[in-house]
Amino acid sequence: MAPLKLKLTKHQAPPRRLDGTNLTWWNSPIKILDPLEKLVREVTDWKKLSNPDDISILKNYDGMLFTCDIEIGDPPTRFSIVPDTGSSNLWVMADSCLDCEVEGCRTEDEEFLKDDCVASQSKVTRCHNFYQRSASTTSQIVTDETGSHKTFSIQYGSGETAGMVTRDKVKFGSWEIKDQTFGEAQQGATFRQLPFDGIMGLAFKSISVDKMDPVFDNIALGNTEQGMSLSKLPIHPETDREYRSQKQYSCFAFYLSKDECRAHSQLHIGNFDRGCYAKDEELHFVPLSSRTYWAFNVSSIIVAEDNMEAVEFGDRRGKGEWKNASDITELQKLHPNMLPPKSFPDNILEDVINNNNKDFATRYSDPMLLCDDCKAIADSGTSLIAGPSDDIGALNLILGTNEYGMVACDEIRPNVHVVLKNEKGEDRIFTLTPDDYILRFQGETVVECMSGFQTLDAGFWILGDVFMRKFYTVFDQGNERVGFATANESC
């Protein structure tokens, strides 16, 4: 059986502001497992393919959310779920859920496509599909130590989902897991207006609520109808003669397209696709720091206008001369993480202090250090890049964001460089330009822009879809590492 490629289709949806007028999707939670961030992604539902066993569809809702289809039970019920590397549990809404559905919701047949690459989202919430245990001949109740039906509860930013633990047949692409443990959600108010039916965690079992086996664990271990476990990916797959592109390995990968009309986004299960990233690059594999989230160490995150090749990693704080102690105090009030600046032209320092000139850093300063030997996770279930409030606050101040995260679309802004060390101890720089991290949306009359950086005080950074759209990302479970390389325009 060849590796599975799941196709993603982008759906346009107008975001909403925090003030309720139009545009913002953060600060409304759907994220799993406290203490992660509070984000909401605008969603619609799925478009069927003629051969769902070979290709399933994932959907990208304004770059905010991806879903794919799974089937549960016999006879099977199809569910639209979020494949999330930031959590580990599988759950779907149950027919006993009292607060999952919205009155007046639309059925799947009411969705329509504007063209082949962009789908229109109705203003009416999509009706959910529900799991009905009594209708499945292969369902099994999971009991606790008292013999009662076992329960589960997962906490989210603004609520929780909870229900019963069940075991049943799950079909994911061409894989069929005979006895997959999952949650039947009986509480769904947090998600009822978001048109997906559940979430499929792709992180490790150690953070799984009630230690339910993650779906990919069962696939990798061979707990499927096929009964074949997956081999480890070769350490250097691009150069290893034993590597085979049509062989299945214990890994999966995300390709998030910048232009869905040119190339669909994809989720690859069981291997990666060499055609999805630059020919002159090899995957840069970063070892995991723990088998929890897909967590790893980050050498540094630096904001700089100049080419990062000029930065000496052994001395990231620069050698510029401060004017005097009072100037240091004033500048640090404006930009706490700013590194020593270069010599300012006449009157620039006065302009910076008196007028709070937010773009001075991009023109007259040395690099700004946001992170020095910190931790991060790669998370397909997070839309933005999230980090500590002090660091993101300083960065967004330079970017000129307002209280809703909106920015002017035409200003000059710096690059953001993420430096990652591979298994050999070699650093590679992953550069995000303003075109990568400033998100553009068509407003009612004009194009509007917002920052792709979000505050989150969780003790680590989250490299979400903004980062993964620029860099093809391989989650190598067998070798406990994550690989990155510059994504191609098409795949």
Side-chain angles (χ1 to χ4, degrees):
M1 186 171 64
L4 177 67
K5 292 186 178 181
L6 298 101
K7 221 172 183 180
L8 294 89
T9 300
K10 184 172 184 177
H11 291 244
Q12 299 284 18
R16 296 185 296 269
R17 280 202 184 97
L18 292 176
D19 62 5
T21 58
N22 201 359
L23 206 94
T24 274
W25 17 257
W26 63 75
N27 292 332
S28 296
I30 69 165
K31 195 67 188 74
I32 302 97
L33 296 177
D34 200 33
L36 290 185
E37 87 287 16
K38 301 177 179 180
L39 299 178
V40 67
R41 273 74 80 186
E42 298 293 334
V43 298
T44 62
D45 59 350
W46 49 272
K47 173 190 173 187
K48 295 180 181 179
L49 282 185
S50 58
N51 192 347
D53 285 350
D54 295 331
I55 300 178
S56 298
I57 287 199
L58 298 180
K59 287 165 299 298
N60 174 356
Y61 305 99
D62 279 330
M64 296 299 102
L65 179 69
F66 301 93
T67 67
C68 65
D69 295 332
I70 64 171
E71 293 180 346
I72 301 179
D74 188 6
T77 300
R78 185 184 294 266
F79 299 94
S80 177
I81 54 91
V82 178
D84 180 21
T85 62
S87 68
S88 299
N89 289 86
L90 170 65
W91 64 263
V92 295
M93 295 179 179
D95 62 344
S96 56
C97 185
L98 300 178
D99 59 359
C100 287
E101 200 59 281
V102 178
E103 185 177 355
C105 63
R106 65 185 175 88
T107 63
E108 293 164 350
D109 292 339
E110 294 168 341
E111 184 184 12
F112 64 95
L113 298 178
K114 290 192 297 185
D115 54 46
D116 292 335
C117 58
V118 180
S120 175
Q121 175 176 325
S122 168
K123 294 180 180 180
V124 181
T125 302
R126 164 193 172 276
C127 295
H128 296 292
N129 292 330
F130 297 102
Y131 175 72
Q132 188 175 1
R133 186 184 342 115
S134 60
S136 174
T137 61
T138 51
S139 65
Q140 304 171 54
I141 291 175
V142 177
T143 58
D144 59 20
E145 59 276 4
T146 69
S148 302
H149 197 165
K150 190 174 184 179
T151 62
F152 81 99
S153 176
I154 302 176
Q155 187 66 42
Y156 294 83
S158 68
E160 67 174 355
T161 185
M164 315 305 290
V165 180
T166 297
R167 193 176 288 117
D168 206 338
K169 180 189 300 183
V170 170
K171 189 173 183 182
F172 181 45
S174 52
W175 278 286
E176 187 172 290
I177 303 168
K178 293 177 289 187
D179 295 307
Q180 175 67 50
T181 303
F182 64 97
E184 294 182 52
Q186 297 176 324
Q187 296 180 27
T190 302
F191 306 100
R192 64 180 176 182
Q193 297 204 33
L194 299 175
F196 58 82
D197 308 314
I199 293 174
M200 180 177 68
L202 292 170
F204 294 90
K205 186 176 179 177
S206 60
I207 63 169
S208 173
V209 173
D210 292 323
K211 302 302 178 185
M212 298 186 213
D213 291 324
V215 170
F216 190 73
D217 279 22
N218 280 325
I219 292 174
L221 293 172
N223 298 330
T224 61
E225 196 69 35
Q226 291 79 7
M228 295 178 58
S229 60
L230 304 186
S231 304
K232 285 186 178 182
L233 188 70
I235 297 299
H236 305 291
E238 292 100 339
T239 58
D240 194 316
R241 293 183 178 181
E242 297 299 318
Y243 169 76
R244 295 291 182 269
S245 61
Q246 293 303 304
K247 183 177 178 179
Q248 293 180 350
Y249 298 100
S250 54
C251 67
F252 55 91
F254 281 84
Y255 172 80
L256 306 185
S257 176
K258 297 177 183 178
D259 183 353
E260 298 291 340
C261 295
R262 172 182 288 187
H264 289 293
S265 297
Q266 300 175 26
L267 169 60
H268 302 149
I269 304 292
N271 209 321
F272 64 92
D273 189 334
R274 184 65 183 88
C276 292
Y277 59 95
K279 291 182 179 180
D280 58 349
E281 286 188 38
E282 292 185 0
L283 288 163
H284 188 77
F285 282 104
V286 182
L288 298 183
S289 56
S290 66
R291 286 178 60 90
T292 52
Y293 303 106
W294 289 89
F296 47 88
N297 294 321
V298 177
S299 297
S300 59
I301 300 176
I302 300 171
V303 182
E305 179 66 18
D306 297 332
N307 191 321
M308 279 298 295
E309 291 179 358
V311 176
E312 298 179 7
F313 295 117
D315 184 18
R316 296 192 183 96
R317 291 200 168 273
K319 300 179 181 179
E321 295 296 328
W322 293 97
K323 298 295 183 179
N324 54 55
S326 63
D327 292 339
I328 294 174
T329 301
E330 293 300 319
L331 285 169
Q332 287 183 328
K333 286 180 181 178
L334 295 176
H335 302 287
N337 297 356
M338 199 65 222
L339 302 186
K342 300 172 183 176
S343 297
F344 288 119
D346 293 342
N347 301 323
I348 289 297
L349 185 62
E350 181 180 354
D351 176 52
V352 167
I353 295 173
N354 294 337
N355 300 317
N356 192 15
N357 188 332
K358 295 181 176 63
D359 68 348
F360 85 97
T362 67
R363 300 179 181 177
Y364 305 115
S365 67
D366 281 346
M368 182 172 77
L369 185 66
L370 296 180
C371 147
D372 188 13
D373 191 21
C374 56
K375 292 189 182 298
I377 69 171
D379 185 5
S380 64
T382 293
S383 306
L384 310 181
I385 293 176
S389 56
D390 287 346
D391 299 321
I392 298 297
L395 174 57
N396 277 337
L397 184 63
I398 289 175
L399 300 183
T401 61
N402 65 15
E403 60 182 314
Y404 304 121
M406 306 297 294
V407 298
C409 293
D410 55 356
E411 289 187 358
I412 298 174
R413 294 185 173 88
N415 294 332
V416 177
H417 310 271
V418 180
V419 185
L420 301 175
K421 193 182 300 293
N422 68 7
E423 298 160 305
K424 299 179 181 179
E426 301 167 337
D427 276 331
R428 185 186 294 183
I429 302 164
F430 295 86
T431 298
L432 295 168
T433 69
D435 287 340
D436 300 321
Y437 66 74
I438 297 297
L439 307 180
R440 296 173 178 266
F441 299 92
Q442 180 60 53
E444 293 184 3
T445 58
V446 298
V447 174
E448 300 188 70
C449 295
M450 60 174 55
S451 168
F453 296 96
Q454 165 72 15
T455 60
L456 168 70
D457 290 311
F460 52 84
W461 287 70
I462 296 180
L463 303 183
D465 295 348
V466 167
F467 188 83
M468 292 173 60
R469 193 158 38 241
K470 177 68 177 288
F471 302 105
Y472 183 65
T473 306
V474 178
F475 296 84
D476 185 357
Q477 187 189 79
N479 293 305
E480 300 183 14
R481 59 185 186 169
V482 184
F484 302 98
T486 304
N488 287 333
E489 292 297 320
S490 60
C491 176

